[in-house]
Amino acid sequence: KTMLAHVAQAQGVIAAEAMAGVQTFPINYDMVPRATYSQPQVASFGYTEAQAKKQGHQVVVSKFPLTASGRAWGLGRTSGFIKLIIDAAHNEILGAHLVGAEVVEMLGELTLAQMWDLTASELGRNIHLHPSLSEAIGEASLGVGGGALNL
């Protein structure tokens, strides 16, 4: 379905669990993380705005520019952004698109939050290190309700 090494590894784990007769966690192929190891890096998972709307979701988008990130300034790599696609009715994370320095490393927090049904508000309340690149995830999450601190 999705020809990526990390998906194949997850499929292997599920196969081994099934053979062992233990509980498995099925893969939601719509939410598989994707990455392009370029400069800047590009990372995403879930739905685009258009896909979410097509599925009937009322969509809220929050975008936090890395030009507002102290850590990005410290690295001298301020180009890029964190963009969250949120279901307006339930404040659930439907997808994310990240462009910038080391954004691939930040995707795990977002996919974990989506998998365990954290809302954007809950993710925004998580304490992120300052200064850090992942702080931009918290800022984008808070931005869903208009409450980003550093914009």
Side-chain angles (χ1 to χ4, degrees):
K1 291 189 173 213
T2 303
M3 296 180 67
L4 298 168
H6 50 279
V7 175
Q9 180 178 336
Q11 291 169 331
V13 169
I14 290 169
E17 289 170 339
M19 287 185 277
V22 299
Q23 181 182 5
T24 66
F25 291 91
I27 298 169
N28 180 347
Y29 288 96
D30 289 339
M31 297 296 158
V32 166
R34 301 171 295 273
T36 302
Y37 295 94
S38 55
Q39 291 298 330
Q41 290 181 355
V42 179
S44 65
F45 83 95
Y47 304 124
T48 64
E49 290 174 68
Q51 290 170 328
K53 287 177 183 176
K54 187 175 181 179
Q55 290 190 4
H57 295 281
Q58 287 186 330
V59 174
V60 174
V61 174
S62 179
K63 193 171 179 181
F64 186 81
L66 293 182
T67 55
S69 164
R71 181 68 177 136
W73 276 99
L75 293 171
R77 297 172 73 189
T78 59
S79 64
F81 59 86
I82 309 296
K83 179 180 177 182
L84 302 181
I85 312 300
I86 306 296
D87 177 270
H90 301 102
N91 203 21
E92 294 174 335
I93 303 164
L94 300 173
H97 311 282
L98 298 77
V99 176
E102 306 305 322
V103 295
V104 169
E105 304 298 332
M106 294 188 273
L107 200 55
E109 178 179 354
L110 290 166
T111 57
L112 184 66
Q114 191 284 325
M115 184 168 93
W116 293 105
D117 297 324
L118 293 181
T119 65
S121 300
E122 291 166 335
L123 185 57
R125 294 298 302 200
N126 184 34
I127 298 172
H128 291 85
L129 291 169
H130 174 77
S132 69
L133 292 173
S134 67
E135 186 177 25
I137 291 173
E139 291 282 353
S141 300
L142 292 171
V144 171
L149 300 175
N150 291 294
L151 278 183

